[in-house]
Amino acid sequence: GAGVSQSPSNKVTEKGKDVELRCDPISGHTALYWYRQSLGQGLEFLIYFQGNSAPDKSGLPSDRFSAERTGGSVSTLTIQRTQQEDSAVYLCASSLFVGFGVQVSPLHFGNGTRLTVT
Amino acid sequence: GIQVEQSPPDLILQEGANSTLRCNFSDSVNNLQWFHQNPWGQLINLFYIPSGTKQNGRLSATTVATERYSLLYISSSQTTDSGVYFCAVGGGGSQGNLIFGKGTKLSVKP
């Protein structure tokens, strides 16, 4: 597709269950970001992938959160043993970098996955 | 890490009015972007502007990197401009992580 695709668009889960959220970035984009947005709040950085470099995991709030990016394309964000405070919209974005930290395209966001933990 | 402050937090305008939104950041950056989040939650990139001035229709942005601030100008505002405007900044080197401010919530009244 032409844009960043996220699935599912909505997810309701019970407290304690694991969930997986998927992101398909724009084809050819080397950088992929995950953010979290709680109701009425700003965007909280979670994790960033750039090419083959080690991901920047500095924003992950606990060890229940993990993410991987396979083949430099699709990414999956996994939340284990979900808690009610995990309820939020999870946003994925992608961008194109060349060289050393040179961003040549702006960030493009998907429509997000709205996660509700009951 | 880099701190990002946006002002004002809330802004109400009458249709046709002009406005200036400000983004201050605490450290040198090599990446600064402005985004608009519409009332349906979609985030749209407005400008990639680590320095200098850019214009796109009724919107323009200026970043003065040496003084660590950026301004977003909206002229002749329309009701469709309503939403939240975010500034996001990134540090130097290979650090591609972008840190977002808390946003300015704009409401344009007809």
Side-chain angles (χ1 to χ4, degrees):
Chain A
V4 177
S5 178
Q6 292 188 244
S7 60
S9 55
N10 281 283
K11 176 73 177 178
V12 180
T13 190
E14 292 180 353
K15 178 181 173 181
K17 300 283 190 184
D18 298 352
V19 295
E20 285 189 352
L21 312 180
R22 177 187 170 102
C23 173
D24 281 275
I26 292 174
S27 178
H29 277 192
T30 55
L32 187 147
Y33 306 73
W34 283 98
Y35 289 87
R36 175 169 74 173
Q37 187 174 32
S38 300
L39 187 63
Q41 302 299 308
L43 276 72
E44 175 189 5
F45 167 72
L46 297 178
I47 188 169
Y48 158 68
F49 297 89
Q50 164 55 10
N52 295 321
S53 303
D56 177 354
K57 303 180 182 180
S58 60
L60 294 178
S62 77
D63 59 9
R64 296 187 294 105
F65 288 73
S66 64
E68 63 177 21
R69 188 178 185 192
T70 54
S73 181
V74 172
S75 177
T76 302
L77 177 69
T78 300
I79 309 173
Q80 295 179 309
R81 306 182 300 283
T82 51
Q83 304 295 311
Q84 288 186 329
E85 61 263 29
D86 299 335
S87 296
V89 176
Y90 289 81
L91 291 156
C92 175
S94 71
S95 181
L96 178 62
F97 275 75
V98 294
F100 187 70
V102 178
Q103 185 168 24
V104 297
S105 83
L107 239 58
H108 295 269
F109 277 89
N111 289 332
T113 293
R114 182 176 298 277
L115 175 66
T116 303
V117 182
T118 61
Chain B
I2 295 174
Q3 305 296 315
V4 185
E5 290 187 4
Q6 292 187 243
S7 60
D10 295 277
L11 184 60
I12 300 175
L13 296 177
Q14 204 66 34
E15 195 169 27
N18 303 327
S19 64
T20 301
L21 282 57
R22 187 176 181 101
C23 172
N24 291 333
F25 41 95
S26 62
D27 206 344
S28 60
V29 300
N30 72 346
N31 191 344
L32 189 146
Q33 301 186 32
W34 283 96
F35 295 86
H36 175 225
Q37 188 169 41
N38 65 25
W40 297 271
Q42 290 179 311
L43 272 160
I44 304 297
N45 189 286
L46 299 175
F47 292 103
Y48 167 56
I49 185 166
S51 64
T53 297
K54 290 186 177 179
Q55 180 157 6
N56 184 2
R58 296 180 296 102
L59 303 182
S60 64
T62 294
T63 297
V64 184
T66 53
E67 297 187 20
R68 299 182 184 170
Y69 74 89
S70 183
L71 302 174
L72 178 68
Y73 305 95
I74 304 174
S75 64
S76 304
S77 59
Q78 301 176 358
T79 55
T80 51
D81 295 332
S82 297
V84 182
Y85 290 81
F86 290 103
C87 166
V89 303
S94 61
Q95 191 175 354
N97 168 18
L98 281 178
I99 302 298
F100 280 70
K102 294 181 186 256
T104 291
K105 184 175 181 180
L106 174 65
S107 298
V108 181
K109 305 298 185 184

